[in-house]
Amino acid sequence: MSSQQSKRLVSLDILRGITIAGMLMVNNPGTWSHIYAPLDHAEWIGLTPTDLVFPFFMFCMGVAMYFSLRKFDFKFSPKLALKIVRRTVLLFLIGWAIHWFSHLMYGLAKGQPWAVAVNNLPTLRILGVFQRLALCYFFGSLCAIFIKHKMLPWVVGGILVIYAVILGVGHGYDFSLDNIVARIDNAVMGPDHMYHESAGGYSIALDPEGILSTLPCIAHTLIGFLVGKMIIEHRDNRYRMARLLEVGFAFILLGWLLHYGIPCSKKVWSSTYVLITTGLAMSVLALLILVIDVKGHKKWCHFFQAFGINPLSLYVLGSVFSIIFGAVTLHKSADFENPDPVKASTLYTQAAQQGIAQAQNNLAVAYYTGTGVDVNKPRAVQLLQQAVGTDTLPKAAAHYNLALAYMTDNTAANDAQAVQLLTLAADSAMQQAQFNLGLCYDFGKGGLAVDHKKAAELYSLAAQQGLKRAQTAVEACYSDTLGVTAHNTFNDLFITDMTACDTIAGKQLTAAQRTYNSAVALAQGAGERTTVHSAVFDFCKAVTVDETMASCLFAIIFILFNWIFGYILYKKNIIIKI
């Protein structure tokens, strides 16, 4: 069959296969602390090769959607409605099942009872990759059925313009809880059911697959749908290739020009992100058509065809394997102990009653955060006050924790003393205290007069110790001519995490001190646990020069492992429809 007459473009399967292989690679590094830069997402604003993977798949789904709905002549019918609803529900259920399974397996690995690990619905993430696919498929299909296809380009343009305006007036490009995307998701789903994004060294409840940002994804899918329409209506591969390059280049250029006012960001799926990534997807598809369907170079395609024929089923399989590899234990060291906050709190109580200040501090943290005990903030403040009054505790931790208690609990509010305690902790070179005290000067909190210069000095001290958000604050001070108040609020930036003390060192410890050390081991988990993931990663470290290369090698091995199953399905001509 000639390339001119072929009804099925091999290049489409290859693009999907490359995309799925990419998704498996970027989601499964050997370690998240040593990732090869191109295999990591842009922190907030910007674009990396990794940020192309998911939008490429959304584009491919749109193309395939045209082929699928064309069988029904794009006309509504009970049969078509059932197909759309069934697939939408199935994708949602798969997304929820994977997240539930992840919590279950890691809960069991941490020593949680089965009844506790299985009941993780209170923290189940509502939206995610599969849920986004479901929503875009559902609403994209409705658009394709009920809107004339010649009007769809206007629908796409309208969505992107409206969304850009919403983000513009709703602080949509600021990494803060004032962001309209975060505000809607927090109001509808709640932070316990959302992904928490990190940038500049701090984290907020902002879901990259959230509710509002699904809107431009629908436009993204419709662009793929329109490309599918062009492919079907024009059988000449050279015309297809030229048209894809022409429109793709126009999209890339337009997105690049607009990104100065409408930043390109995957995290909020900005309108320029849609333009640039769909433009690149068209360009890559054009290149694949040239190489595969026009020139006939297909020998190298078999690897990616194994992924492209069953893309979603292999992505599900890869997600399940990833969870199992990270949860299944191969070996435990002799001193291994799963974290047990309840038992740790009992031992902290015993040591605290014996006057061990570190135990008083850590028990106070437990009461304040509700870790292993019921939340009891007045009791936490009482214990912290006792700990501060001793001479045996590392003062920085006690001063810092008591300052947080005073600043975050209205019943114990004492701004003047809180600032005094923060100052003492900062003078002890505690980086979190230096940063928080800098914020107090920057925003004029705790009775302090605004002093951006003093704030910048404190940020610099914390930054020199490696505190990432302090480094970001220093950069903001330079760009804003001191002060970080322009795009953030005090509550967004303030570090509210309390500090627990480590074990007590020494050869001759009292019984109470040994009890405290046992409590720390129980609270944190002791010893080492070897999983399938860590064992393979250790092998990768043994055969590579550094951990970054080992992380890449692990991802490649993981892809090859999944490819074996894909290749078996491919050779047996088995297609699993999801």
Side-chain angles (χ1 to χ4, degrees), residues 147-402:
I147 299 176
K148 292 182 179 179
H149 292 178
K150 66 180 181 179
M151 296 300 296
L152 288 180
W154 294 99
V155 172
V156 170
I159 290 175
L160 296 183
V161 170
I162 291 171
Y163 185 65
V165 171
I166 292 173
L167 291 192
V169 300
H171 306 287
Y173 306 110
D174 297 344
F175 187 76
S176 76
L177 290 176
D178 287 335
N179 188 313
I180 184 67
V181 175
R183 291 210 310 269
I184 290 176
D185 288 344
N186 276 278
V188 176
M189 297 184 291
D192 290 341
H193 296 285
M194 293 168 55
Y195 188 86
H196 288 226
E197 276 293 347
S198 297
Y202 64 102
S203 176
I204 61 173
L206 190 153
D207 203 314
E209 281 83 45
I211 297 170
L212 183 61
S213 59
T214 299
L215 187 62
C217 279
I218 296 170
H220 198 121
T221 306
L222 290 176
I223 292 172
F225 178 87
L226 291 170
V227 168
K229 182 175 184 291
M230 183 274 293
I231 288 173
I232 290 296
E233 292 179 347
H234 300 278
R235 299 295 184 180
D236 186 342
N237 279 327
R238 294 186 183 277
Y239 175 88
R240 291 168 170 172
M241 183 179 65
R243 186 64 174 163
L244 286 169
L245 285 174
E246 181 182 89
V247 178
F249 178 76
F251 273 34
I252 295 169
L253 180 61
L254 181 60
W256 176 68
L257 291 174
L258 290 176
H259 95 278
Y260 293 101
I262 305 173
C264 179
S265 172
K266 177 189 180 295
K267 309 297 183 173
V268 295
W269 213 281
S270 63
S271 298
T272 48
Y273 179 72
V274 173
L275 292 171
I276 293 172
T277 55
T278 53
L280 287 170
M282 291 183 217
S283 301
V284 172
L285 180 56
L287 178 62
L288 291 174
I289 290 175
L290 172 64
V291 173
I292 299 170
D293 297 292
V294 175
K295 299 296 185 182
H297 301 306
K298 298 181 180 180
K299 291 183 179 180
W300 63 276
C301 297
H302 296 301
F303 178 85
F304 293 110
Q305 267 188 304
F307 286 112
I309 297 297
N310 288 290
L312 281 179
S313 58
L314 287 179
Y315 185 64
V316 172
L317 185 67
S319 300
V320 172
F321 279 143
S322 177
I323 294 166
I324 293 174
F325 288 177
V328 173
T329 301
L330 298 178
H331 173 72
K332 294 179 180 178
S333 62
D335 62 339
F336 180 82
E337 189 83 52
N338 272 313
D340 190 338
V342 175
K343 191 173 181 181
S345 296
T346 301
L347 294 177
Y348 279 142
T349 301
Q350 295 175 14
Q353 290 171 347
Q354 298 296 315
I356 303 298
Q358 289 93 327
Q360 293 168 342
N361 177 84
N362 289 10
L363 183 60
V365 173
Y367 273 120
Y368 208 85
T369 59
T371 305
V373 292
D374 293 332
V375 173
N376 188 337
K377 292 185 178 179
R379 177 58 177 156
V381 171
Q382 184 183 28
L383 285 163
L384 288 170
Q385 289 170 338
Q386 292 175 11
V388 168
T390 67
D391 295 325
T392 58
L393 176 71
K395 290 295 185 182
H399 290 151
Y400 175 71
N401 289 348
L402 187 54

Side-chain angles (χ1 to χ4, degrees), residues 311-562:
L312 281 179
S313 58
L314 287 179
Y315 185 64
V316 172
L317 185 67
S319 300
V320 172
F321 279 143
S322 177
I323 294 166
I324 293 174
F325 288 177
V328 173
T329 301
L330 298 178
H331 173 72
K332 294 179 180 178
S333 62
D335 62 339
F336 180 82
E337 189 83 52
N338 272 313
D340 190 338
V342 175
K343 191 173 181 181
S345 296
T346 301
L347 294 177
Y348 279 142
T349 301
Q350 295 175 14
Q353 290 171 347
Q354 298 296 315
I356 303 298
Q358 289 93 327
Q360 293 168 342
N361 177 84
N362 289 10
L363 183 60
V365 173
Y367 273 120
Y368 208 85
T369 59
T371 305
V373 292
D374 293 332
V375 173
N376 188 337
K377 292 185 178 179
R379 177 58 177 156
V381 171
Q382 184 183 28
L383 285 163
L384 288 170
Q385 289 170 338
Q386 292 175 11
V388 168
T390 67
D391 295 325
T392 58
L393 176 71
K395 290 295 185 182
H399 290 151
Y400 175 71
N401 289 348
L402 187 54
L404 290 188
Y406 285 152
M407 297 186 77
T408 59
D409 184 9
N410 291 332
T411 61
N414 190 328
D415 286 349
Q417 193 168 358
V419 169
Q420 182 181 0
L421 289 163
L422 270 183
T423 303
L424 290 171
D427 290 343
S428 299
M430 186 176 191
Q431 56 183 330
Q432 297 95 327
Q434 291 168 338
F435 178 77
N436 279 352
L437 185 59
L439 290 176
C440 290
Y441 278 108
D442 218 349
F443 288 84
K445 296 288 185 177
L448 293 175
V450 173
D451 188 339
H452 295 314
K453 185 176 180 180
K454 179 67 174 177
E457 292 174 357
L458 287 161
Y459 295 149
S460 297
L461 290 173
Q464 290 168 10
Q465 297 189 66
L467 186 63
K468 192 170 182 180
R469 68 178 69 182
Q471 295 168 350
T472 303
V474 171
E475 293 173 2
C477 286
Y478 281 112
S479 62
D480 295 343
T481 317
L482 302 182
V484 297
T485 60
H487 302 295
N488 298 286
T489 66
F490 178 81
N491 290 335
D492 286 342
L493 297 170
F494 192 78
I495 301 175
T496 57
D497 297 332
M498 289 189 167
T499 301
C501 298
D502 295 329
T503 54
I504 300 172
K507 295 182 178 180
Q508 295 181 340
L509 301 178
T510 66
Q513 289 172 331
R514 287 195 296 271
T515 299
Y516 168 76
N517 284 354
S518 299
V520 171
L522 277 172
Q524 300 174 349
E528 295 183 352
R529 179 174 70 96
T530 301
T531 64
V532 176
H533 184 117
S534 61
V536 175
F537 182 57
D538 287 342
F539 164 78
C540 294
K541 287 194 292 186
V543 299
T544 55
V545 294
D546 59 29
E547 290 201 5
T548 300
M549 293 299 297
S551 189
C552 292
L553 178 59
F554 179 94
I556 293 171
I557 292 174
F558 186 83
I559 290 174
L560 292 174
F561 182 81
N562 283 270

